[in-house]
């Protein structure tokens, strides 16, 4: 029971971190229909900017300033890049954002080098919050949970309870009507893109000390972010949250419990081959859950695409 609680907490941390990263991409897609391949690169920039700021001003100033810088950069990318490319369709947008991701990675390596940066947890949070059956839960993980929940509640409130949120949602479905009412729709698009990249920057700031700040960090989480929004449903904030938590818990439990595939197959009534060494399915029978933990989200995505292509919370396209 204690191990289950520890895994629930670890999976919750992983899932909420993934949500912070995918929420910005979901917001951008729901507003503009743009799948931003460079989104994880802004996550990486958030970590690097926060590290650089923390050297002079400390971790907390990095947490405040770095996402703002990333958000301004994202707004600039939309204003002077994507806005010009958008009129030519989705393929040029994808190529543009893919090239931008490569450019950001090269710039990071040119400025900071290829080694991992010594970006660490702040001293005020570098202690054990509590322990479960000898497994310590760091205070920084609890901090990450509260930050993620606060971001979700804030986004949900803004989008559903405020005038700004109503304008954003109206601009998504009826941009010409919103523009006719006197609202600057291109400015709204630029602001949404900036906020989305700023959320990725926040994820980078708080994930950098735990997962490491290095040039390949965008590649590590880049693909799983798209898996998350596909599972949750493109454009759905609730879907991004649920899918992130599912992925976090699935991978955490799979890595913690050494479950053999042979036990699962035997449990559903499929007997083991008489001569396992010469069987064509030998690898299938000998695989264990920790070995396939990292590909389980992709398997889930394939199943979702087969049985519910619009995602868990997505709306069916007519």
């Amino acid at each position: 029971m204690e191990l289950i609680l520890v895994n629930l907490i670890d999976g919750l941390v992983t899932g909420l971190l993934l949500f912070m990263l995918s929420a910005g991409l979901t917001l951008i897609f729901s507003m503009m229909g743009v799948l931003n391949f460079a989104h994880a690169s802004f996550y990486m920039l958030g970590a690097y900017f926060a590290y650089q700021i923390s050297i002079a001003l400390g971790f907390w100033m990095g947490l405040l300033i770095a996402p703002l810088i990333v958000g301004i950069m994202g707004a600039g990318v939309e204003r002077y890049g994507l806005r010009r490319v958008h009129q030519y369709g989705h393929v040029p947008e994808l190529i543009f954002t893919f090239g931008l991701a490569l450019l950001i990675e090269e710039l990071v390596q040119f400025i900071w080098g290829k080694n991992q940066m010594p970006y660490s947890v702040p001293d005020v949070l570098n202690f054990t919050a509590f322990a479960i059956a000898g497994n310590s839960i760091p205070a920084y993980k609890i901090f990450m949970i509260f930050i993620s929940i606060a971001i979700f509640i804030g986004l949900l409130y803004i989008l559903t309870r405020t005038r700004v949120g109503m304008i954003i949602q109206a601009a998504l479905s009826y941009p010409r009507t919103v523009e006719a009412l006197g609202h600057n729709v291109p400015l709204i698009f630029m602001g949404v893109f900036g906020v989305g990249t700023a959320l990725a920057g926040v994820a980078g700031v708080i994930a950098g000390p735990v997962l490491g700040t290095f040039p390949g960090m965008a590649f590590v989480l880049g693909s799983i972010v798209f898996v998350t929004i596909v599972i949750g449903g493109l454009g759905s904030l609730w879907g991004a949250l649920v899918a992130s938590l599912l992925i976090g818990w699935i991978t955490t439990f799979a890595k913690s419990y050494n479950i053999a595939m042979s036990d699962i197959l035997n449990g559903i009534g499929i007997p083991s081959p008489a001569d396992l060494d010469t069987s064509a399915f030998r690898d299938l029978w000998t695989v264990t859950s920790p070995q396939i933990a990292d590909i389980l989200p992709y398997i889930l995505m394939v199943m979702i695409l087969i049985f519910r292509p619009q995602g868990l919370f997505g709306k069916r396209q007519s």
Side-chain angles (χ1 to χ4, degrees):
M1 184 62 184
E2 291 82 4
L3 182 57
I4 293 177
L5 290 176
V6 172
N7 287 331
L8 283 174
I9 294 174
D10 288 341
L12 180 64
V13 173
T14 302
L16 289 177
L17 176 63
L18 188 57
F19 165 73
M20 278 195 296
L21 190 53
S22 60
L25 187 60
T26 297
L27 192 64
I28 290 171
F29 181 84
S30 64
M31 182 60 153
M32 306 173 63
V34 175
L35 279 177
N36 180 14
F37 277 167
H39 193 72
S41 299
F42 290 105
Y43 154 80
M44 177 174 64
L45 286 177
Y48 272 93
F49 288 154
Y51 160 71
Q52 200 65 47
I53 294 169
S54 67
I55 294 176
L57 302 176
F59 173 84
W60 301 107
M61 291 304 296
L63 178 60
L64 292 174
I65 299 174
L68 292 177
I69 298 175
V70 174
I72 292 172
M73 291 180 64
V77 167
E78 193 283 329
R79 172 63 180 85
Y80 298 104
L82 272 177
R83 188 176 300 182
R84 300 174 185 271
V85 178
H86 185 69
Q87 58 184 318
Y88 300 109
H90 292 302
V91 174
E93 288 176 346
L94 296 178
I95 295 174
F96 173 82
T97 57
F98 181 74
L100 181 62
L102 297 178
L103 176 62
I104 291 175
E105 183 175 352
E106 291 298 323
L107 286 175
V108 165
Q109 294 186 35
F110 178 77
I111 297 172
W112 285 283
K114 297 183 178 181
N115 296 326
Q116 181 169 322
M117 297 293 101
Y119 183 33
S120 58
V121 174
D123 293 336
V124 69
L125 294 175
N126 193 14
F127 65 92
T128 300
F130 55 90
I132 301 176
N135 297 287
S136 60
I137 306 299
Y140 193 74
K141 284 189 176 181
I142 306 301
F143 167 74
M144 293 171 67
I145 291 174
F146 279 108
I147 288 290
S148 304
I149 293 175
I151 288 175
F152 172 72
I153 294 174
L155 282 176
L156 193 63
Y157 177 80
I158 290 173
L159 291 176
T160 60
R161 300 293 183 181
T162 66
R163 176 180 172 84
V164 173
M166 288 188 289
I167 293 173
I168 290 174
Q169 294 188 67
L172 169 63
S173 303
Y174 311 102
R176 293 185 178 180
T177 302
V178 172
E179 193 168 15
L181 291 173
H183 299 289
N184 190 337
V185 173
L187 181 63
I188 295 173
F189 283 179
M190 184 178 72
V192 169
F193 198 92
V195 170
T197 54
L199 289 175
V202 173
V205 172
I206 69 172
V210 177
L211 302 181
T213 302
F214 57 98
M217 63 187 299
F219 176 78
V220 171
L221 290 181
S223 60
I224 198 67
V225 175
F226 288 96
V227 171
T228 303
I229 65 172
V230 168
I231 293 174
L234 294 174
S236 172
L237 191 63
W238 276 104
L241 177 64
V242 173
S244 299
L245 294 177
L246 277 177
I247 291 174
W249 280 323
I250 287 173
T251 54
T252 300
F253 276 94
K255 291 177 180 178
S256 299
Y257 292 91
N258 192 19
I259 302 174
M261 184 61 70
S262 58
D263 295 334
I264 298 176
L265 294 175
N266 290 334
I268 61 177
I270 301 177
S272 302
D275 189 358
L276 186 60
D277 292 335
T278 59
S279 174
F281 300 99
R282 177 181 180 276
D283 291 338
L284 176 63
W285 284 90
T286 57
V287 74
T288 59
S289 59
Q291 293 175 317
I292 62 171
D294 290 333
I295 67 171
L296 288 178
Y298 299 92
I299 296 175
L300 178 60
M301 179 188 69
V302 172
M303 295 176 62
I304 289 292
L305 288 175
I306 293 174
F307 297 105
R308 188 176 172 82
Q310 70 271 29
L312 296 177
F313 289 81
K315 295 179 180 179
R316 184 179 298 276
Q317 299 295 324
S318 58

